[in-house]
Amino acid sequence: MIEGPVTGGRHGWPFARPLIDLREKGYVEAEYILSGEATTYAPAPGAAFGRDGKWLARPKGKVPFKTRFLVYRPADPAKFNGTVVVCWNNVTAGYELFFGESPEVLEGGYAFVCASVQRVGVHGFAQNPQGLVAWDPERYGDLAIPTDDASYDIYTQVARAVGPARDRTVDPLGGLDVRKVIGIGASQSAGRLSTYVNAIHPLPPEEGGHAFDGFMLQIYFGAGTPLENSDRPVNPAAGNTRPMLRGANLIREDLDVPAMIVNTELEAIACQGVRQPDTDRFRTWEAAALTHVSYQAQLTRNAKYQREFGLAPPAPSEQMNRIYLQPFYDAALHHLNRWVNGGAPPPSQPLIEFDADGRPLRNEHGIARGGARLPQADAPVAMNSATPVTDDFAGRLRGSNRPFDAATLSALYGDEAGYLARFKQAADAAVTAGVLLPRDVAPAVEEAAREYRRALAMSARQPAGAAG
């Protein structure tokens, strides 16, 4: 059952809503409650969930649930492009993380749905819970997800609630003519989405399958999650320092809809053992010099955290990676949307190059060789990489940034004008390769000027030979 739009509550807004006013972008924002029974799944008798990803699942039982999903949609139906993106909200932090207000979404005319499908997102960690129920008991107090084993079918039910054949008694899309539904998930959510793609999507519709027309797994470490007893949250605040995940399974090669993995240098390291060739239904993109969490993304997360919890998190480290990942995501979504609508697939990209020990090969500037090349990698003012500065949970996701010194910048580019000319050439090359959209070139050039000046300023503050 769908109820909504939801209003009121202690705070008066949906948790983790955008920092911007979507009305100024021509969008409607509305939150809905979804309740009912969710199917749980188990491996079929005798089925092995092996490396090939051809996993055979069967319905196991049902559990009651009540959750929410947040919808951003064009106010003007004429601006809707026909595609709904359903995001599997990430719960690694103990509260939900998602970002659906990117230029490709808002200027491209998508509807974007933020789906709360996991227990931690609703209830939080046992210690210091920050889930929806604790954050606003007036708005969310009766929400309940008993187990993450239900997450797969809850995700299906959200997709069908906004899909082409949806029940319009309460219509979260406001009558929009939906043609395609794309599922996306990042990091922890990408692992769960991997299991969904391999085990749930192939099922017949009456058992919960075939609710999506394509998938994008973002910053994916190459391993799915269990169907049963899958409540295994990792609390980063608890000082957890377990090793990073390593790739364990492929995306099944017999998938009947397009699927795309969009990774950075960090996840490419993890996925070396499960790389698979591009096909007419599959693509892998790996971006050199980028990592899991960038400085820019951390700024947005911190601003949302301060708004929601009233506390200012520590400022992002100046040493963390400073290449923004969102433009790379936007380019991938642009191509994937064309693909699911019957157009050309995303252009294949070179993969990051590794040595015999599994470490990225690097050029004379410390930038990883190979991979998709954003302009910050081919016209660098710093060594950006996935190499961490600290070995704690967050540090290993944030990589590093080491600005070049003034002498290096002068030798490479002469001056700022020479640098920006070279950066623009690299940006144009990224557009030609398909990994950067034309709309993102001008903001990237503006940021590049700031980064050049930052590198010079940091060089002036350091002893000779300390940077570079």
Side-chain angles (χ1 to χ4, degrees), residues 33 37 90 111 115 135 138 144 160 179 181 183 227 233 246 252 294 331 336 354 370 373 380 408 420 447-448 465:
I33 301 298
E37 288 189 321
N90 187 305
W135 182 74
E138 295 177 19
R160 289 183 174 162
R179 295 190 298 273
V181 181
L227 289 175
R246 290 287 174 174
R252 59 187 306 148
S294 70
L336 179 59
F354 293 94
R373 313 294 292 187
T408 301
L420 292 179
E447 182 183 66

Side-chain angles (χ1 to χ4, degrees), residues 69-272:
F69 61 93
L70 184 58
V71 177
Y72 317 148
R73 59 176 175 83
D76 181 356
K79 295 183 178 180
F80 178 50
N81 71 2
T83 297
V84 178
V85 177
V86 181
C87 172
W88 187 309
N89 295 350
N90 187 305
V91 302
T92 299
Y95 53 88
E96 293 192 322
L97 300 171
F98 52 85
F99 186 83
E101 56 269 32
S102 76
E104 174 63 13
V105 170
L106 300 181
E107 296 178 26
Y110 300 79
F112 196 93
V113 176
C114 316
S116 301
V117 302
Q118 287 187 251
R119 178 174 171 79
V120 167
V122 170
H123 301 282
F125 293 131
Q127 184 177 7
N128 187 29
Q130 295 179 300
L132 298 173
V133 171
W135 182 74
D136 196 331
E138 295 177 19
R139 191 178 183 109
Y140 300 126
D142 61 346
L143 300 188
I145 295 179
T147 170
D148 276 0
D149 295 2
S151 63
Y152 306 106
D153 191 50
I154 295 174
Y155 192 59
T156 294
Q157 292 191 39
V158 173
R160 289 183 174 162
V162 297
R166 65 191 183 277
D167 180 349
R168 303 197 184 200
T169 304
V170 176
D171 188 359
L173 273 298
L176 294 179
D177 181 16
V178 176
R179 295 190 298 273
K180 300 294 181 181
V181 181
I182 293 173
I184 67 169
S187 190
Q188 174 262 343
S189 300
R192 301 197 73 87
L193 190 57
S194 167
T195 296
Y196 187 95
V197 170
N198 284 342
I200 308 304
H201 174 79
L203 294 172
E206 61 271 17
E207 293 183 356
H210 289 90
F212 290 89
D213 301 290
F215 298 97
M216 185 189 297
L217 285 67
Q218 301 170 332
I219 48 177
Y220 167 59
F221 285 103
T225 51
L227 289 175
E228 301 177 285
N229 303 313
S230 64
D231 297 81
R232 302 177 184 178
V234 176
N235 185 348
N240 187 288
T241 57
R242 75 177 188 180
M244 285 292 179
L245 292 171
R246 290 287 174 174
N249 59 265
L250 306 176
I251 300 301
R252 59 187 306 148
E253 65 182 10
D254 59 351
L255 196 63
D256 61 353
V257 298
M260 190 172 185
I261 293 173
V262 183
N263 276 350
T264 72
E265 181 180 312
L266 180 65
E267 305 80 39
I269 295 171
C271 289
Q272 289 176 72

